[in-house]
Structures are given as structure tokens and as C-alpha cells.
Amino acid sequence: MDYIEQKEILDPLLQNWLEQFKQTNYFSELDVIEQSQTDFTIQAYADFMLSYHKKMPQDWNKADTINIIGELFPMKLKMDDDFTYAFARVLCQFLDFLGEKQILQNTEELVAGVLDGDEQLFLKTTSPEEIDEMDAALQYAASIGMDLTDEAQVDAFLIDFLQANPYALSGAPANKQPIRHEKIGRNSPCPCGSGKKYKKCCG
């Protein structure tokens, strides 16, 4: 069976799965941006699997998933901020849905591939200076007792950090106080540079 014949089978199959997916909690748990990127993300993943690895869904695997996300996405897609933000969670939720419905059997392996590929993509598209800045922010978070295994808590911290330090990951000089690791008084200025008291900001 050649590519065109496989594509004619794949496209309606994906459309059917997407329609089912959008009726589930897996989809409703996505935020507005993630939902807006769902069709494109899943179609791109499936198309790359077929065109570059000649794999239909029953043959999708972790190694090819890592390759697609870590190598082909940054080279072949013009990624906007919304896609970059959304694709990993969209794919993970979609794959979890396929696993629950027993449409595919190896979805845990595929999800692991998405997460590994996402990490590769982050390293390819983020400068060493930006990574150092992010590491420093996370070290500070740990120093004030934040549980770095709590993804929601860490995400909220980083959003607050970037709002208070809009140039932190841009490479531009920022007029902000450096991140410090010593004990901070609750009435002291917040080290994130917001100008607020620590207890009213990151405390």
C-alpha cells in the first residue's frame, strides 16, 4: 500500500478519533489555547509518522515520536507560540484517550516519547542563558520551600516570575533584583523585583 492509499485510510480514521476525543474529559481538561491547537497538532503528528517513518497508528512507537518532536517539528513546522505551548499536552491527552478506549495498546510508551521529545525541543529552541535563568528561578523556588514535583505550583510560580521579570528569558538586560537564596523577611521587598512586599507577592 503506497502513501496516498495509507493517507486515504488515515485521515477519516483520525477525524473519527478526534470527534470522540472532543466529547471526553481529556479534551475538556485542555485550556482554550490547547483546544485551539488540537486538530493541527494531532494531524501533524500523524502526518509526520506516515510521511517520514511510514507508520500507521498501530505501528507508532516511542523512538519515532521522539524523532518527530525533537527533530522534525522545529525543522519542518513554522511554530507559533500557541503551538509550542500546547502540542505536548494535547498529544499526551489524545494518546491517553486512545489508550483508555483500547484503540492503541502502547500509549504509555508513546506519552513517554512525547515528553522526551518535548525536552529535546526545549533544549534546541532555548538559549543557554534562558535555561540558566529558568534554573535560577527554580532554585529560588526550592529555597523558599516550593515542591518542585507539583507541576501546577511550579507553573504558577514561573508565570508570576515572568510577569514580574518580563525580560528574564529574552536575553535583554532587566532592571531587577537578582534571585537570592537567603531567608527573606515577610515585610522585605520581594526578590522577584515586583516592588511589592514579599508577603504580598511570592510569599
Side-chain angles (χ1 to χ4, degrees):
M1 191 181 300
D2 63 20
Y3 171 79
I4 294 175
E5 291 172 325
Q6 288 180 309
K7 190 86 166 70
E8 287 175 349
I9 295 171
L10 178 63
D11 284 349
L13 191 64
L14 274 184
Q15 207 51 47
N16 181 290
W17 291 349
L18 275 166
E19 288 173 8
Q20 293 181 54
F21 175 60
K22 289 177 182 177
Q23 304 303 314
T24 68
N25 288 337
Y26 289 107
F27 181 75
S28 63
E29 287 170 358
L30 299 173
D31 66 27
V32 173
I33 294 174
E34 290 163 344
Q35 289 182 1
S36 74
Q37 295 296 312
T38 292
D39 287 47
F40 174 74
T41 298
I42 293 167
Q43 188 70 56
Y45 173 73
D47 284 348
F48 274 126
M49 275 292 195
L50 182 58
S51 58
Y52 282 89
H53 296 291
K54 299 179 174 54
K55 299 285 173 64
M56 291 288 279
Q58 65 270 18
D59 300 315
W60 289 350
N61 60 65
K62 180 179 179 180
D64 292 338
T65 296
I66 293 171
N67 175 258
I68 284 170
I69 295 171
E71 300 292 337
L72 299 179
F73 272 12
M75 289 192 303
K76 299 296 183 183
L77 292 180
K78 182 179 180 183
M79 293 184 296
D80 60 25
D81 290 341
D82 285 351
F83 175 78
T84 304
Y85 163 79
F87 82 86
R89 178 147 163 79
V90 168
L91 279 177
C92 288
Q93 291 289 94
F94 181 66
L95 292 167
D96 283 341
F97 155 74
L98 294 180
E100 182 184 276
K101 294 294 183 182
Q102 299 184 336
I103 295 169
L104 295 182
Q105 302 302 315
N106 62 336
T107 53
E108 288 186 9
E109 171 191 329
L110 295 174
V111 166
V114 171
L115 298 176
D116 287 351
D118 185 32
E119 183 176 353
Q120 283 190 19
L121 184 61
F122 173 77
L123 294 173
K124 284 177 182 293
T125 56
T126 309
S127 72
E129 293 79 13
E130 290 172 336
I131 292 172
D132 287 346
E133 188 76 36
M134 190 72 76
D135 283 344
L138 292 174
Q139 287 174 23
Y140 168 71
S143 77
I144 60 173
M146 183 173 295
D147 178 6
L148 297 185
T149 64
D150 185 333
E151 291 185 18
Q153 192 177 17
V154 170
D155 287 347
F157 170 80
L158 290 175
I159 289 168
D160 289 344
F161 173 77
L162 291 173
Q163 286 176 342
N165 301 269
Y167 302 105
L169 300 183
S170 69
N175 181 20
K176 67 181 192 308
Q177 299 176 20
I179 295 172
R180 295 192 293 265
H181 298 275
E182 67 269 14
K183 180 79 172 170
I184 303 160
R186 288 181 53 72
N187 290 311
S188 300
C190 189
C192 76
S194 66
K196 300 177 183 176
K197 290 183 178 180
Y198 175 63
K199 68 182 179 182
K200 297 284 189 180
C201 190
C202 294

